[in-house]
Amino acid sequence: MPRFSDWEGRYAFFAREFFPEPGCDTARTHGQAIYDELSSAEPVQLIEDHFGLTFGYNYLVARAVHTGGSYRPTPGDLGQEHLMFYLPLRELVTMPRYS
């Protein structure tokens, strides 16, 4: 997702199927704290991918709900990183992208 990491609102999307109101300062502040905590313990690229994938997942779910569907992205629908996120964390951090 090009330039996702430049978008200030990205921190509001820290959990799957959590849909904050646009511009919700509480969600953004909470998400920023989660980002800071996670990125102090794990590779920053991993955390950036987590937030980007969560946003993409939530977008697709919200779009499906809006159109009357119930679609949930399956592993890999959002790319290789999405597929890798179903690995245990100890395995995920050994992948070249995150090591």
Side-chain angles (χ1 to χ4, degrees), residues 61-72:
V61 170
R63 185 174 71 179
V65 169
H66 179 71
T67 60
S70 61
Y71 173 75
R72 298 290 186 273

Side-chain angles (χ1 to χ4, degrees), residues 21-39:
E21 293 291 326
C24 178
D25 288 334
T26 302
R28 190 173 34 91
T29 300
H30 190 66
Q32 176 73 56
I34 291 170
Y35 177 91
D36 292 344
E37 187 70 26
L38 289 174
S39 62

Side-chain angles (χ1 to χ4, degrees), residues 38-71:
L38 289 174
S39 62
S40 71
E42 301 298 340
V44 172
Q45 185 62 57
L46 175 66
I47 308 313
E48 289 284 334
D49 285 352
H50 166 77
F51 276 78
L53 288 167
T54 302
F55 175 81
Y57 181 95
N58 286 349
Y59 173 80
L60 292 174
V61 170
R63 185 174 71 179
V65 169
H66 179 71
T67 60
S70 61
Y71 173 75

